[in-house]
């Protein structure tokens, strides 16, 4: 059974207190990003990843034919091929092979598929001795732990912890020097390589055209495991089948680059047929390949989630995940870790194990942006959340919020009522303190007060042109309508300064992203349709939003959300074709230049919202605009999540607060020492401004619309 949410939070806090884990994963994340950029510098990574995605999709559509072709070709070469429907069947098959061949001792090279089925437990229960030979896997086997990363299973351990582990295993004092520890491992494992009856490996590829398997490793243990023992068993998911070696080589161009920023792994081994082996009666090596289903074929039939089967197990989704970076794989997965692990736990190991884990995604899209197979990992995580709600029922808070947000008049009435209810607990623009029942662990930031007048209430009195060269429809979203209306007013003034006309349909409501993140599918559909309807009669050239998250959510999900209703197909497409973010509108449509601003050389830092830089692919426009009205100064990791994530910051405040502190520390301690920070997202403003307010406002935080408006030349 899975742990409760309370105990899960306790384990997260435990991980956050592990200073070595934090330091190690921080260092790795920064180095990995720089090294990956260099190793892909001479390649069109996006194009190659798109090819891999298409080819993997095609392979899975023909999986049964590929399997039969592999069986036919491998059998001709003396290989025995098996197919296991479940994890237990796979374990039973491998145990039977071992018993049939009088196997007592087994060596294993690294295999996530073997971890998936808990193979070691079954073999040990059958009285066999099993030794992992991958250095990281051997270390965690000695410690009775699971891997914390798919490629680097022991990255969470210090050399001192490894030395202690080796001391317990060898019963002798060990030096903590890394080279000496590696020599200890080689010495201890050499005996097992020489004396084992069976070697078990995974397989990165199963080539249907010739019945070969391919294995990518960085240690020689993989080749020793597959060549020295008289019996070799390879276990792999049936999704590892590819038509030809050309398809495998295409993946190899990306796999090591994405996994460890290497051009190629140290070893790429191809095994075709049974080689000579004098230890067996027929002088041939005994080779078995076990293909595992374990839910993969059912997943293939799932149109919303089957692209998960493209995964090449590079582990990059963990490498760039801000949550994994803080808490490691033991809190960010069950067997598989990172974003892919949250999903595969649901499909391979049960809903109960997944229900807490799958909540722990901040939705920053870093995993989607880097995935070697182009999988929409955050989108599928949201789909899994929705299914869990449908299967087990939504939490009461989620249900109530969904009912309110789906009813625009009620939602807006409650927000307007909130401005009066908040008066006893507010001071200036911030909530001074929350009643204990609502406070939770939100002490890491100051929360904003609801504005005294919403933007929709201010709209009738704003001076705007009804006619202009370009007509802009404003999509406000919740935060800027009711909390930060001044950001929208700044945008209106900027549009008007360039002769643009502005319209604001009053029937619009929340974009629905919070509902999507909570898995409240029905309410998300209702809000999507309401917004499409609200702008249908508005004759505008563009629909601008100052919230990158709103724009990205609408562009990514509205087609699907309204797709079951044919009457919305055309008008949803029309609506989405007009969506544009603020910075792109200012820079590319209205073509603001330095001549439009009073630039006093103020040093300005920039936080790049996740859904702008990755979701919408907008990176240069905001920085160019900043340089028109001030001096943009780079700061560390500008595109790393600030920790907001909407409702995530309420559900996981311990992680949200830590990410916020890291972000603000980087800005405040940067070489330029900027006193102003701007961003393109009201959610990020809320998080960053609230954090800075707790720090006595050492750095001022503004939406980029406010910054540009304040420096606009008055005509």
């Amino acid at each position: 059974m899975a742990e409760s949410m309370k105990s899960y939070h306790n384990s997260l806090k435990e991980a956050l207190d592990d200073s070595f884990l934090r330091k190690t994963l921080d260092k790795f994340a920064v180095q990995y990003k720089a090294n990956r950029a260099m190793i892909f510098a001479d390649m069109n990574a996006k194009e190659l990843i798109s090819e891999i995605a298409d080819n993997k999709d095609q392979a899975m559509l023909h999986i049964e034919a590929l399997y039969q072709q592999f069986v036919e070709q491998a059998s001709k070469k003396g290989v025995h091929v098996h197919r296991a429907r479940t994890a237990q069947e796979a374990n039973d098959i491998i145990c039977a092979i071992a018993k049939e061949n009088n196997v007592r001792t087994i060596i294993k090279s690294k295999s996530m598929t073997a971890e998936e089925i808990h193979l070691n437990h079954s073999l040990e229960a059958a009285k066999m001795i099993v030794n992992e030979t991958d250095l990281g896997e051997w270390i965690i086997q000695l410690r009775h732990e699971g891997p914390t990363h798919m490629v680097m299973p022991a990255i969470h351990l210090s050399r001192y912890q490894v030395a202690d582990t080796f001391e317990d295993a060898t019963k002798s004092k060990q030096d903590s020097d890394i080279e000496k520890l590696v020599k200890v491992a080689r010495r201890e494992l050499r005996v097992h390589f020489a004396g084992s009856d069976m070697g078990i490996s995974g397989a990165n590829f199963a080539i249907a055209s010739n019945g070969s398997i391919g294995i990518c490793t960085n240690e020689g243990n993989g080749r020793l495991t597959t060549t020295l023992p008289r019996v070799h068993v390879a276990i792999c998911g049936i999704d590892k089948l590819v038509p030809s070696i050309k398809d495998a080589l295409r993946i190899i161009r990306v796999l090591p680059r994405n996994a460890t920023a290497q051009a190629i792994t140290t070893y790429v081994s191809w095994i075709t047929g049974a080689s000579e082996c004098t230890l067996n009666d027929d002088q041939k090596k005994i080779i078995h390949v076990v293909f595992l289903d374990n839910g993969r074929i059912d997943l293939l039939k799932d149109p919303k989630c089957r692209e998960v089967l493209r995964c090449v197990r590079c582990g990059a989704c963990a490498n760039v995940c801000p949550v994994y970076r803080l808490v490691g794989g033991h809190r960010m997965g069950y067997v598989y870790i990172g974003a892919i692990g949250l999903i595969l736990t649901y499909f391979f190991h049960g809903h109960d194990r997944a229900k807490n884990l799958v909540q722990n995604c901040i939705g920053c899209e870093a995993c989607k942006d880097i995935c070697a197979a182009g999988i929409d990992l955050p989108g599928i995580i949201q789909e899994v959340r929705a299914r869990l709600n449908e299967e087990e029922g939504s939490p009461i808070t989620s249900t109530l919020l969904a009912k309110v947000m789906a009813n625009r008049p009620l939602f807006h009435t409650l927000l307007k009522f909130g401005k009066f209810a908040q008066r006893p607990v507010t001071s200036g623009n911030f909530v001074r303190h929350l009643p204990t029942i609502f406070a939770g662990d939100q002490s890491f930031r100051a929360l904003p007060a609801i504005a005294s007048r919403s933007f929709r209430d201010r709209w009738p009195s704003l001076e705007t042109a009804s006619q202009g060269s370009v007509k802009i429809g404003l999509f406000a979203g919740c935060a800027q309508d009711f909390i930060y209306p001044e950001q929208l007013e700044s945008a209106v003034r900027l549009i008007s300064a360039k002769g643009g006309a502005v319209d604001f349909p009053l029937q619009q409501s929340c974009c629905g992203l919070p509902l999507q993140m909570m898995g409240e599918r029905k309410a998300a559909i209702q809000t999507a349709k309401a917004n499409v309807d609200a702008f249908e009669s508005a004759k505008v050239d563009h629909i601008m939003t100052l919230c990158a998250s709103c724009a990205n959510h609408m562009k990514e999900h509205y087609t699907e959300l309204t797709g079951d209703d044919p009457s919305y197909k055309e008008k949803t497409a029309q609506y989405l074709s007009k969506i544009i973010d603020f910075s792109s509108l200012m820079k590319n449509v209205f073509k603001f230049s330095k001549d439009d601003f009073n630039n006093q050389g103020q040093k300005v830092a920039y936080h790049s919202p996740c859904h702008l830089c990755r979701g919408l692919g907008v990176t240069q426009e905001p920085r160019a605009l900043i340089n028109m009205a001030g001096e943009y100064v780079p700061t560390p990791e500008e595109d790393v999540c600030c920790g907001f994530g909407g409702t995530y910051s309420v559900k996981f405040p311990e992680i949200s607060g830590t990410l916020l502190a890291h972000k603000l520390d980087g800005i405040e301690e940067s070489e330029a020492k900027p006193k102003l920070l701007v961003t393109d997202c009201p959610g990020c403003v809320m998080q960053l401004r609230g954090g800075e307010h707790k720090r006595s406002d050492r750095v001022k935080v503004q939406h980029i619309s406010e910054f540009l408006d304040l420096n606009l030349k008055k005509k």
Side-chain angles (χ1 to χ4, degrees):
M1 295 290 288
E3 58 187 340
S4 67
M5 183 57 87
K6 182 179 179 180
S7 62
Y8 183 50
H9 275 286
N10 289 336
S11 70
L12 292 175
K13 291 173 183 174
E14 203 176 284
L16 290 170
D17 289 337
D18 186 336
S19 59
F20 173 79
L21 179 70
R22 292 275 306 281
K23 183 178 178 181
T24 299
L25 294 182
D26 260 356
K27 183 179 178 181
F28 171 73
V30 174
Q31 289 179 340
Y32 167 80
K33 188 174 181 180
N35 293 340
R36 183 187 182 273
M38 285 191 294
I39 203 70
F40 272 112
D42 61 343
M43 298 174 63
N44 187 333
K46 295 293 184 184
E47 184 178 296
L48 184 55
I49 288 168
S50 179
E51 287 179 18
I52 289 170
D54 290 343
N55 285 313
K56 288 283 283 184
D57 287 347
Q58 284 301 309
M60 291 309 299
L61 290 176
H62 300 92
I63 197 70
E64 296 301 338
L66 292 175
Y67 173 73
Q68 292 302 326
Q69 187 181 13
F70 183 93
V71 172
E72 180 183 341
Q73 293 300 319
S75 299
K76 290 177 183 177
K77 299 174 177 70
V79 177
H80 308 279
V81 183
H82 310 262
R83 184 163 172 173
R85 186 177 58 85
T86 64
Q88 187 59 54
E89 281 185 18
N91 287 331
D92 291 345
I93 289 168
I94 295 171
C95 285
I97 293 168
K99 290 176 182 176
E100 179 185 328
N101 290 283
N102 300 313
V103 169
R104 301 305 309 159
T105 56
I106 298 169
I107 52 174
K108 284 177 73 257
S109 63
K110 191 172 182 308
S111 168
M112 285 306 300
T113 312
E115 294 279 1
E116 176 186 332
I117 64 174
H118 305 298
L119 176 58
N120 286 9
H121 298 325
S122 291
L123 293 170
E124 289 164 352
K127 309 301 183 187
M128 294 170 203
I129 299 170
V130 185
N131 290 289
E132 296 286 350
T133 63
D134 174 88
L135 178 58
E137 288 283 349
W138 187 54
I139 292 167
I140 63 172
Q141 182 187 29
L142 294 176
R143 294 174 61 85
H144 307 289
E145 296 177 354
T148 194
H149 191 283
M150 285 196 284
V151 178
M152 298 160 286
I155 192 175
H156 60 299
L157 298 172
S158 71
R159 57 195 175 102
Y160 304 105
Q161 290 172 296
V162 174
D164 291 343
T165 300
F166 283 7
E167 275 188 25
D168 292 341
T170 62
K171 309 302 180 190
S172 60
K173 182 71 176 175
Q174 299 296 338
D175 194 303
S176 60
D177 178 76
I178 293 174
E179 287 188 12
K180 291 179 180 178
L181 291 172
V182 172
K183 286 180 180 178
V184 170
R186 285 174 179 160
R187 184 187 69 233
E188 294 294 319
L189 290 173
R190 190 172 294 133
V191 178
H192 302 308
F193 282 125
S196 291
D197 304 308
M198 176 189 282
I200 297 176
S201 74
N204 294 93
F205 315 101
I207 314 296
S209 61
N210 63 5
S212 300
I213 61 170
I215 306 173
C216 300
T217 62
N218 274 324
E219 298 177 20
N221 66 295
R223 287 188 173 176
L224 290 170
T225 298
T226 59
T227 56
L228 288 180
R230 57 190 172 84
V231 182
H232 171 211
V233 175
I235 178 166
C236 64
I238 199 164
D239 52 305
K240 295 297 188 230
L241 279 161
V242 294
S244 69
I245 195 166
K246 180 180 178 182
D247 300 286
L249 292 175
R250 183 185 293 109
I251 294 171
I252 288 174
R253 293 187 67 198
V254 171
L255 174 58
R257 285 178 164 86
N258 234 37
T260 52
Q262 295 170 266
I264 194 166
T265 52
T266 308
Y267 302 93
V268 178
S269 305
W270 303 101
I271 300 172
T272 306
S275 57
E276 292 183 9
C277 179
T278 57
L279 295 174
N280 292 322
D281 293 339
D282 63 356
Q283 307 294 296
K284 291 286 186 182
K285 191 175 189 69
I286 299 168
I287 300 184
H288 294 259
V289 177
V290 180
F291 284 101
L292 177 68
D293 179 350
N294 201 32
R296 287 164 172 81
I297 297 302
D298 286 341
L299 187 50
L300 176 60
K301 299 171 185 175
D302 186 329
K304 292 186 177 179
C305 301
R306 63 185 172 205
E307 65 186 67
V308 168
L309 295 170
R310 298 176 191 163
C311 179
V312 300
R313 305 292 191 264
C314 67
C317 56
N319 297 351
V320 297
C321 175
V323 178
Y324 174 87
R325 180 173 170 176
L326 292 181
V327 301
H330 290 155
R331 278 83 174 184
M332 212 27 205
Y334 174 58
V335 171
Y336 296 102
I337 53 83
I340 192 69
L342 305 187
I343 297 165
L344 294 183
T345 299
Y346 175 82
F347 287 106
F348 291 171
H349 294 108
H351 302 181
D352 195 48
R353 293 194 189 279
K355 64 184 180 183
N356 292 335
L357 294 175
V358 81
Q359 303 302 320
N360 199 7
C361 168
I362 202 165
C364 70
E365 300 205 355
C367 54
K368 177 182 178 180
D369 188 56
I370 207 167
C371 178
I375 304 168
D376 181 8
L377 293 161
I380 296 173
I381 288 170
Q382 291 173 14
E383 173 65 23
V384 170
R385 287 175 180 164
R387 293 184 186 188
L388 283 167
N389 283 351
E390 290 163 1
E391 291 157 3
E392 303 186 6
S394 303
I396 186 64
T397 52
S398 174
T399 301
L400 289 173
L401 187 57
K403 287 184 180 298
V404 169
M405 293 182 77
N407 185 329
R408 186 196 61 77
L410 174 62
F411 181 41
H412 289 175
T413 298
L414 289 175
L415 285 171
K416 288 180 179 180
F417 173 74
K419 71 184 179 186
F420 300 109
Q422 72 185 355
R423 284 178 179 173
V425 294
T426 57
S427 177
N429 294 323
F430 290 95
V431 174
R432 186 172 64 253
H433 64 85
L434 281 172
T436 305
I437 190 172
F438 299 118
D441 289 325
Q442 297 297 304
S443 58
F444 63 89
R445 64 182 176 189
L447 292 171
I450 297 172
S452 58
R453 290 182 69 213
S454 67
F455 179 77
R456 62 183 53 240
D457 289 337
R458 302 182 190 195
W459 168 248
S461 62
L462 292 181
E463 292 184 13
T464 60
S466 59
Q467 300 295 323
S469 57
V470 181
K471 189 169 184 180
I472 306 301
L474 292 185
F475 182 86
C478 313
Q480 283 163 327
D481 196 348
F482 292 92
I483 299 174
Y484 302 123
E486 65 276 5
Q487 296 173 8
L488 285 165
E489 289 184 325
S490 289
V492 170
R493 283 191 287 270
L494 288 160
I495 293 168
S496 298
K498 284 291 188 178
V502 185
D503 191 11
F504 182 72
L506 291 172
Q507 297 305 306
Q508 63 180 285
S509 188
C510 172
C511 69
L513 177 58
L515 299 166
Q516 183 84 0
M517 291 291 287
M518 291 186 297
E520 295 291 345
R521 196 196 314 265
K522 184 177 178 181
I525 292 171
Q526 288 176 272
T527 56
K529 287 183 173 181
N531 286 322
V532 171
D533 289 340
F535 280 86
E536 185 179 12
S537 59
K539 305 301 181 183
V540 295
D541 300 297
H542 301 280
I543 300 171
M544 183 206 68
T545 173
L546 281 76
C547 177
S549 297
C550 290
N552 187 55
H553 167 66
M554 292 187 289
K555 280 180 169 288
E556 284 199 348
H557 298 292
Y558 270 26
T559 299
E560 179 188 349
L561 288 170
T562 64
D564 289 340
D565 188 337
S567 66
Y568 275 85
K569 182 177 180 180
E570 187 175 333
K571 58 183 180 179
T572 298
Q574 180 92 0
Y575 175 82
L576 296 178
S577 70
K578 297 179 180 181
I579 296 290
I580 189 169
D581 68 280
F582 171 80
S583 288
S584 294
L585 184 76
M586 296 297 113
K587 176 71 169 57
N588 302 330
V589 177
F590 286 115
K591 301 191 183 300
F592 274 91
S593 69
K594 288 187 175 183
D595 294 337
D596 295 305
F597 299 100
N598 296 306
N599 189 332
Q600 299 177 19
Q602 183 180 18
K603 291 182 178 179
V604 183
Y606 177 64
H607 165 65
S608 187
C610 300
H611 294 134
L612 187 72
C613 65
R614 285 182 287 275
L616 300 177
V618 176
T619 57
Q620 299 305 313
E621 287 83 352
R623 292 172 173 88
L625 289 167
I626 291 169
N627 268 331
M628 293 175 192
E631 181 190 348
Y632 159 65
V633 291
T635 53
E637 301 192 275
E638 291 178 345
D639 62 349
V640 173
C641 185
C642 67
F644 180 59
T647 54
Y648 182 91
S649 61
V650 177
K651 288 190 292 186
F652 293 96
E654 60 276 82
I655 294 174
S656 178
T658 307
L659 288 171
L660 173 60
H662 178 81
K663 172 67 67 173
L664 295 179
D665 287 345
I667 293 164
E668 292 176 9
E669 296 166 11
S670 65
E671 187 177 341
K673 297 288 189 293
K675 296 301 180 185
L676 178 62
L677 169 65
V678 303
T679 186
D680 293 59
C681 177
C684 297
V685 170
M686 185 184 300
Q687 179 85 338
L688 297 166
R689 189 180 287 175
E692 274 299 335
H693 192 67
K694 285 283 185 175
R695 298 182 176 209
S696 302
D697 296 310
R698 295 193 289 246
V699 175
K700 188 175 182 179
V701 179
Q702 291 179 338
H703 191 280
I704 192 170
S705 67
E706 298 174 281
F707 169 68
L708 295 177
D709 180 35
L710 286 169
N711 290 281
L712 183 66
K713 287 181 179 177
K714 308 304 178 187
K715 295 181 179 179

